[in-house]
Amino acid sequence: MSTNSSSVGQLLFQGPTCFGWKQVLEGAVYHLANCILLFGFMAGSGVYGCFYLFGFLGTGYLCYMLWGWFDACGLDVVCWSCLLTVACLLQLAHQVYRLRMNVLPEEFDLLYKTLCLPLRVPLCSYKEIVRCCQEQVLSLAMEQNYAVEGETPINRLSLLLSGRVRVSQDGQFLHYIFPYQFMDSPEWESLHPSEEGTFQVTLTAETECSYISWPRKSLHLLLSRERYLSRLFSALLGYDISEKLYTLNDKLFAKFGLRFDIRLPSLYHVLGPSSSDGGPESEDEDVSEPAWSAARPPGPPPPPPLPPPPGSSPWPATTHPARVPRARTPRRDSSPLGD
């Protein structure tokens, strides 16, 4: 043990054992390898930083292997450099595999860039949403019903990806649903997780449509487990419902020339009866008197009543019997003289 410590002390505190330095510098391959390694260690973080790091390190170790084979003629230099080069190549292959695993189908990738990326939703959270709908894209043919009023149960939540869907009630057109809007957000918000119900409107595809759909129970389980996703869906659904209400309000403005408060319940009943053809663009149908009275602007206030003529009673005659005046009872603690 003392012999080893003395040898280590000699190596640390004595001068170098080299009696003469080589006058000939190493070849260009050796210096090129060091420069490449220097650039490689300047890599950043993230997936692309790993690509940069292992790409430069693998190239640098490859130059070391060539230098050891042609110039240094050392088997150990060649073996270690070859081993480090293979390790860097394996790391690059692993990063490529991770990128391939993160690739989403075209429809879901476009949905993420359009709806979730502006809100800075993490990709891992978005993948939880995609897995909940089983990565399936469903389709509707032209004039095919997604839901029928009073018949289709509310057991899912769907988001339109392409096409246009018409919403109607009792044959009366209400509004359209466009891409990247929820198809049944009001129905989703109207029921608790344990309740059941049916659609109050009919949803019909006007063109060929594609959409994704989450089962109601599976989505409720996911939202109860992930608080961030629950807040995200709450914001998206609230915005979608408000857009639908504003669309109804714009339709009323185009029909009556008035804007209503979107907080009023049952705006549909102000639309009036359905027209004879029931088409979505028929705006000149007759309006019933109750609907028109609800949409009629308030007129000027009625004039004040005229004063009664002289000699007449200031109060109008009524059929109610006149009240009999009652004698005022004096207080017990007071005398008739007011002492």
Side-chain angles (χ1 to χ4, degrees):
M1 184 67 182
S2 60
T3 305
N4 294 335
S5 61
S6 62
S7 61
V8 171
Q10 291 178 359
L11 291 175
L12 292 177
F13 299 107
Q14 293 181 0
T17 58
C18 298
F19 295 101
W21 294 94
K22 294 174 60 175
Q23 299 297 325
V24 180
L25 299 178
E26 298 294 339
V29 180
Y30 176 80
H31 298 290
L32 178 63
N34 287 316
C35 291
I36 293 176
L37 292 179
L38 176 63
F39 285 110
F41 286 117
M42 294 180 181
S45 59
V47 177
Y48 296 102
C50 291
F51 271 106
Y52 180 91
L53 172 64
F54 292 114
F56 273 87
L57 290 183
T59 307
Y61 291 134
L62 179 61
C63 292
Y64 269 131
M65 185 178 63
L66 296 177
W67 169 75
W69 182 267
F70 292 106
D71 292 342
C73 298
L75 183 61
D76 53 348
V77 177
V78 174
C79 291
W80 278 109
S81 300
C82 180
L83 181 62
L84 292 174
T85 303
V86 172
C88 292
L89 293 178
L90 291 177
Q91 283 289 340
L92 288 175
H94 176 65
Q95 296 299 324
V96 172
Y97 173 75
R98 287 182 59 187
L99 282 181
R100 293 292 299 174
M101 290 295 295
N102 290 334
V103 173
L104 296 170
E106 181 180 359
E107 295 85 357
F108 291 98
D109 184 63
L110 185 59
L111 174 63
Y112 177 74
K113 294 178 180 178
T114 305
L115 196 63
C116 296
L117 189 59
L119 300 177
R120 299 181 181 180
V121 177
L123 189 59
C124 57
S125 300
Y126 178 72
K127 287 182 180 179
E128 292 287 337
I129 301 174
V130 173
R131 279 195 290 267
C132 185
C133 68
Q134 301 176 356
E135 299 186 12
Q136 292 183 357
V137 179
L138 308 176
S139 60
L140 287 174
M142 186 181 299
E143 297 300 326
Q144 181 181 355
N145 288 333
Y146 169 80
V148 180
E149 177 183 351
E151 299 180 7
T152 306
I154 304 173
N155 54 9
R156 54 182 173 170
L157 177 66
S158 300
L159 180 72
L160 187 64
L161 297 179
S162 64
R164 187 173 68 177
V165 176
R166 182 177 69 250
V167 182
S168 59
Q169 186 181 39
D170 297 333
Q172 174 70 33
F173 168 75
L174 295 181
H175 62 87
Y176 285 117
I177 298 176
F178 296 100
Y180 304 110
Q181 291 183 346
F182 288 97
M183 300 172 64
D184 40 12
S185 52
E187 287 77 13
W188 172 270
E189 291 290 340
S190 64
L191 295 179
H192 292 287
S194 59
E195 295 179 345
E196 296 181 357
T198 57
F199 278 81
Q200 301 300 314
V201 293
T202 299
L203 280 72
T204 307
E206 283 211 338
T207 60
E208 293 185 358
C209 303
S210 62
Y211 66 98
I212 58 176
S213 185
W214 295 274
R216 185 177 181 84
K217 293 183 179 180
S218 302
L219 185 56
H220 270 300
L221 289 176
L222 175 63
L223 298 184
S224 61
R225 187 174 67 252
E226 299 289 341
R227 186 177 179 182
Y228 173 77
L229 295 180
S230 177
R231 294 198 300 265
L232 174 65
F233 267 82
S234 178
L236 292 176
L237 290 171
Y239 176 78
D240 187 81
I241 293 175
S242 64
E243 285 293 315
K244 289 179 171 60
L245 289 176
Y246 276 113
T247 302
L248 284 176
N249 203 7
D250 291 339
K251 178 178 174 61
L252 293 175
F253 177 76
K255 187 173 183 179
F256 298 127
L258 299 172
R259 291 195 182 275
F260 293 84
D261 190 347
I262 63 172
R263 296 168 294 180
L264 294 176
S266 304
L267 283 180
Y268 161 72
H269 298 289
V270 189
L271 292 173
S274 60
S275 59
S276 57
D277 55 353
E281 301 299 332
S282 60
E283 300 291 347
D284 54 350
E285 65 269 9
D286 295 333
V287 181
S288 61
E289 182 62 27
W292 174 246
S293 62
R296 183 179 300 165
L306 297 176
S312 61
S313 174
W315 303 104
T318 58
T319 57
H320 299 287
R323 296 179 58 183
V324 179
R326 293 184 300 175
R328 183 177 179 181
T329 306
R331 296 173 54 183
R332 295 182 180 180
D333 55 349
S334 64
S335 63
L337 297 178
D339 293 338

